[in-house]
């Protein structure tokens, strides 16, 4: 029963594991070399330092928020944070209810106010447009020529809105390099000087706009589609459709009646009177300023002109934000100094290392040389987890948080658990009198189910925690689930095949007293004792005998079919040549 | 190891056996009393010591302080918000924690500056946390949803795996006992209940079930051919399975608790309150109780739930009959020998 040569299938499994590890390393190495990945996992803000805000979106009117609206909320905040010049901000949704904003450093109070504010969409008529750049000092309107309104403006398109101050502000505005921190929101009843930021296709434009005429909340919906030609045939032009509610419809009708006059007066399509334009303003920035080519009486205007599918979708989405004034309540805000984060990480790693060491000492004490298999398995599991986290940090932007580190430390014990279940099963089989090779096989057969079932429980817990998680629970749940999977891979692809190989070595196979599988220490009595002599019934380690020695013979006679079959199997495994016992009941 | 291995051997063969199933009444009573206490303690104490996440408010953590005096921090807060009652505590080594009621942005910034000066640290060593008043309710709600979803799914998973609702029920009962007692220990120890503690708590439930799955697997194996066996009664088979897996239970518990203990005692001693400590305390207590609950509650309960089943009653009679026969035989043989 000692060495019977190499075990091919188990070697093959080990090679496959090596291939997986090498492939993961190669992927990460490739990423690192091309500069997009890094060998170390990305750290979350609680370890790196920075500010994390958890915001609860609030829809005006108090109705519940749905997933689409939440995604819009994230888009809104992303636009604002990007606009305010904060680099490397991360904005994500959590549990389908909250928005998590993570910023490096401490945000200014303006940035905070900006993040919290509700989206503000308005329609304003255009008074003046101009190129985005600052008007050079020597070309600015001389003081004497600055406009002096002669009368109170009669409607929103009236040039009398433009005062000397507004004109100066307009000329000084630099739309090519917009200010980082936006000032307070504009007054809807007053004119506004603002920019339309440059895009890939168009340069920046600056505007003087009249007071607000139609509000974003009056939009009922917005879609985008390929434009239909006069005959109803679909053209290649993308168009954005707006639909106003009743109030919006009547207001918009009034506006387009006035604006369309400017359009017609300026010569229709060939004209270029800025006053025929109405600007769609989101958070005080112009996102589009189409001309009013017709009077819209049904509240369903269509915006066309130079859209790609993408830009049409973007505008349509933005219009829907306007229809949905979401503001945000700060649920919790954490500002973590880099010092504290680093300290926590160091301590966490130290605690993890000590915990690992204790587990190592304990398994060596309990399982002797077998303990080294545990250690090697933990090392492989650790390598798999580390590579997975580093790769996920690169591809999915996964960041390791303190709770995630805790999850990994806790998983050391849970990973070692599966080995214990397996080893104890092997020991049980040895106690039954099997040789090591068959004990490993039989023990595995039984341990496999238990390990699978218990890992299923672990994974279930991780999934539940992940999906209902609030706050920093997610990181913990994620690493817990990840390590459960790594553990399964290691048990199946490393621990078991390694033991299959080791069972064939002299040291383990012959049960060296330091192997942890010494049958003598385990109180095993071999089934087969050589020289054709089988063990006597008295030798059989059986609880029956231990408890009712007097009833031994009786018990033997009353063996059930299943018991007898098991006994036969055991004898065969032990290399017995004797046929099964056949006495009747 | 040798003595422990011997211990394992004796447990395996049944030479040494602890009667967990037979003395179930005692364990059930103990568990019932512990659960009752765990419910009464928080009630008597007026609830748990809830963390700032549940109460709402602002918290500052200052690391590497020059002085650990509380009055310094109190003064820094009073300078900005005169009437407030800050809670200042030295949480570990050179780390101070200052908790206040909800502050405005401006006040937060000012107090942060004040604390930086007062404790002689740099800007980088002050951390501030603000928690809105509705956050706690949110956290609690989610934790409860998590609890219910997990228990429901776990029950289904157990029932599918074991294919008997009685095993499933016993496993869940053990888990619930673990849950209540862990909560009770939290209430008694006056540790702060934070979201991290809640995560630990939910993880404990998974550990508790995991442990039960392993033991029940052995029980199922031992009782697979119970109908045709007269060796042991059902209860005895269950008890043997628990004994046979006792060494594993102890080893598993040890290995699980060592890293957690390392975080709890090493990490927390040096770092003070935080994610790691809150999480590890819940786990530490829960793993101990979870292991015990499997052995003393779940397994005996399963035996108890099934012992009334007609085939098992008959089987128990057969075992009794066989033993009586054997005893009679032995008694008959005795005088002949003498």
């Amino acid at each position: 029963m000692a060495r019977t040569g190499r075990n091919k299938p188990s070697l093959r499994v080990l090679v496959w594991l090596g291939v997986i590890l090498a492939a993961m390393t190669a992927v990460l190495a490739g990423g690192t070399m091309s500069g997009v990945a890094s060998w170390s996992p990305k750290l979350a803000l609680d370890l790196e330092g920075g500010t994390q805000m958890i915001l609860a979106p609030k829809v005006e009117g108090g109705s519940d928020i749905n997933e689409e609206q939440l995604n819009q909320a994230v888009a809104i905040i992303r636009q604002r944070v990007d606009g305010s010049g904060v680099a490397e901000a991360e904005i994500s949704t959590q549990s389908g209810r909250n928005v998590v904003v993570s910023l490096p450093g401490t945000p200014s109070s303006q940035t905070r106010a900006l993040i919290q504010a509700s989206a503000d969409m308005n329609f304003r008529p255009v008074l003046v447009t101009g190129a985005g750049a600052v008007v050079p000092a020597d070309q600015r309107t001389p003081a004497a020529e600055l406009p002096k309104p002669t009368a109170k403006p009669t409607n929103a398109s009236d040039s009398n809105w433009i005062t000397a101050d507004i004109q100066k502000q307009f000329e000084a505005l630099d739309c090519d390099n917009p200010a980082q921190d936006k000032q307070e929101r504009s007054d809807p009843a007053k004119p506004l000087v603002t920019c339309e930021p440059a895009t890939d296709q168009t340069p920046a434009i600056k505007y003087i706009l009249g007071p607000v005429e139609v509000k974003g909340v009056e939009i009922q919906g917005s879609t985008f589609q390929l434009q239909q030609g006069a005959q109803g045939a679909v053209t290649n032009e993308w168009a954005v459709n707006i639909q106003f509610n009743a109030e919006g419809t009547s207001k918009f009708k009034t506006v387009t009646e006035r604006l369309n006059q400017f359009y017609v007066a300026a010569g229709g399509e060939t004209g270029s009177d800025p006053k025929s334009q109405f600007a769609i303003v989101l958070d005080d920035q112009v996102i589009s300023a189409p001309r009013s080519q017709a009077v819209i009486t049904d509240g369903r205007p269509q915006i066309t002109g130079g859209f790609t599918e993408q830009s049409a979708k973007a505008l349509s989405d933005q219009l829907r934000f306007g229809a949905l004034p979401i503001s945000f309540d700060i649920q919790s805000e954490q500002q973590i100094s880099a010092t504290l984060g680093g300290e926590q990480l160091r301590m966490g790693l130290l605690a993890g290392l000590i915990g690992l060491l204790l587990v190592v000492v304990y398994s060596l004490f309990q399982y002797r040389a077998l303990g080294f298999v545990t250690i090697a398995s933990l090392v492989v599991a650790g390598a798999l987890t580390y590579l997975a986290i580093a790769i996920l940090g690169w591809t999915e932007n996964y960041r390791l948080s303190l709770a995630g580190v805790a999850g990994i430390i806790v998983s050391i014990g849970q990973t070692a658990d599966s080995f214990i279940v397996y080893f104890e099963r092997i020991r049980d089989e040895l106690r039954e009198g099997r040789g090591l090779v068959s004990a490993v096989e039989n023990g595995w057969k039984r341990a496999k189910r238990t390990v699978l079932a218990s890992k299923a429980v672990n994974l279930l817990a991780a999934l539940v925690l992940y999906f209902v998680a609030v706050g920093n629970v997610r990181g913990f749940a994620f690493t817990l689930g990840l390590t459960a999977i790594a553990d399964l891979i290691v048990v199946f692809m490393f621990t078991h095949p390694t033991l299959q190989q080791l069972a064939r070595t002299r040291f383990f196979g012959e049960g060296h007293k330091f192997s942890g599988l010494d049958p003598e220490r385990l109180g095993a009595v071999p089934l087969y004792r050589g020289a054709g002599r089988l063990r006597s019934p008295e030798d059989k380690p059986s609880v029956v005998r231990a408890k009712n020695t007097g009833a031994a013979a009786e018990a033997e006679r009353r063996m059930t079919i299943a018991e007898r079959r098991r006994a036969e199997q055991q004898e065969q495994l032990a290399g017995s040549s004797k046929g099964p016992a056949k006495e009747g009941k | 190891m040798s003595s422990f291995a011997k211990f394992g051997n004796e447990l395996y063969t049944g030479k040494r056996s602890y009667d967990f199933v037979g003395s179930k009444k005692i364990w059930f009573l103990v568990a019932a009393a512990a659960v009752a206490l765990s419910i009464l303690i928080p009630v008597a104490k007026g609830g748990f010591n809830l963390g700032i996440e549940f109460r709402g408010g602002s918290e500052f953590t200052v690391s590497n302080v020059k002085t650990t005096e509380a009055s310094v921090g109190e003064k820094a807060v009073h300078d900005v918000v005169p009437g407030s009652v800050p809670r200042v505590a030295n949480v570990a080594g050179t780390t101070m924690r200052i908790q206040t009621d909800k502050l405005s942005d401006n006040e937060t910034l000012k107090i942060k500056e004040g604390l930086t000066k007062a404790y002689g640290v740099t800007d980088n060593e002050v951390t501030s946390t603000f928690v809105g008043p509705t956050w706690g309710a949110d956290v609690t709600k989610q934790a409860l949803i998590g609890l219910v979803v997990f228990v429901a799914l776990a029950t289904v998973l157990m029932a599918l795996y074991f294919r008997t609702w009685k095993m499933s029920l016993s496993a869940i009962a053990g888990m619930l006992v673990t849950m209540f007692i862990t909560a009770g220990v939290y209430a008694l120890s006056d540790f702060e209940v934070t979201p991290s503690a809640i995560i630990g708590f939910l993880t404990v439930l998974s550990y508790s079930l995991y442990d039960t799955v392993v033991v029940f697997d052995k029980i199922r194996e031992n009782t697979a051919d119970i109908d045709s066996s007269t060796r042991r009664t059902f209860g005895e088979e269950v008890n043997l399975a628990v004994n046979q897996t006792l060494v594993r239970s102890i080893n598993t518990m040890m290995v699980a608790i060592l890293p957690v203990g390392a975080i709890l005692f090493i990490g927390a001693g040096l770092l003070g309150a935080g994610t790691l400590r809150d999480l590890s305390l819940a786990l530490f207590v829960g793993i101990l109780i979870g292991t015990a609950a499997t052995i003393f509650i779940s397994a005996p309960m399963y035996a108890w739930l099934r012992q009334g089943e007609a085939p098992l009653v008959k089987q128990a009679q057969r075992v009794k009959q066989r033993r009586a026969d054997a005893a009679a035989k032995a008694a008959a043989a005795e005088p002949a020998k003498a």
Side-chain angles (χ1 to χ4, degrees), chain A residues 97 112 331-333 335 337 362 367 417 425 431-432 446 449-450 454 468 476 521-522 543 560 563, chain B residues 2 9 12-13 105 124 127-130 132 134 138 142 203 210 217 220-221 228 231 251-252:
Chain A
R97 295 169 314 118
R112 286 168 48 101
Q331 295 279 350
S332 92
E333 179 179 343
Q335 283 166 13
S337 72
Y362 190 82
Y367 295 102
D417 274 3
R425 281 296 196 171
R431 286 176 181 132
E432 296 275 4
R446 292 168 167 194
R449 283 167 14 119
T450 311
S454 51
V468 298
F476 179 78
R521 273 166 190 276
L522 294 173
V543 194
T560 63
E563 281 174 322
Chain B
S2 100
N9 300 337
Y12 186 77
T13 56
D105 290 351
N124 256 339
T127 285
S128 69
T129 305
F130 157 76
T134 55
D138 229 28
Q142 285 301 105
T203 316
Y210 162 92
D217 236 25
R220 187 160 65 156
E221 188 186 307
S228 54
R231 275 190 312 186
N251 281 351
T252 309

Side-chain angles (χ1 to χ4, degrees), chain A residues 101-122:
Chain A
V101 181
S102 302
L103 313 163
T106 309
S108 65
S109 52
Q110 274 122 318
T111 308
R112 286 168 48 101
L114 197 68
I115 289 171
Q116 269 181 281
S118 71
D120 179 35
M121 177 174 278
N122 294 303

Side-chain angles (χ1 to χ4, degrees), chain A residues 60 72 118-124 188 212-222 242-245 247-249 251-252 279-283 287 316-326:
Chain A
E60 230 162 69
Q72 286 181 16
S118 71
D120 179 35
M121 177 174 278
N122 294 303
F123 291 74
R124 289 172 182 258
V212 172
E213 290 204 294
V214 185
K215 283 192 207 137
V217 276
E218 280 155 355
I219 301 172
Q220 209 159 54
S222 169
I242 306 175
Q243 194 193 334
F244 287 105
N245 64 15
E247 205 180 331
T249 303
K251 283 189 192 166
F252 199 67
I280 304 168
V281 187
L282 177 66
D283 286 343
I287 52 173
S316 163
D317 280 348
Q318 284 174 321
L319 285 163
R320 281 209 303 274
F321 300 161
L324 179 92
I326 306 174

Side-chain angles (χ1 to χ4, degrees), chain A residues 16-90:
Chain A
W16 268 113
L17 179 67
V19 169
I20 292 177
L21 278 171
M24 286 174 85
T25 313
V27 165
L28 193 58
T32 309
M33 238 127 44
S34 53
V36 284
S38 112
W39 284 109
S40 52
K42 280 193 190 170
L43 298 180
L45 280 181
D46 60 347
L47 294 178
E48 212 179 35
T51 302
Q52 188 180 56
M53 284 184 241
I54 298 180
L55 305 159
K58 214 171 51 177
V59 182
E60 230 162 69
S63 53
D64 268 354
I65 198 153
N66 64 32
E67 203 187 319
E68 196 214 4
Q69 292 170 330
L70 191 66
N71 288 334
Q72 286 181 16
V74 170
I76 294 172
I77 294 186
R78 187 164 289 139
Q79 266 178 351
R80 292 183 192 161
V81 174
D82 287 349
S84 69
V86 177
E88 271 189 71
E90 272 184 54

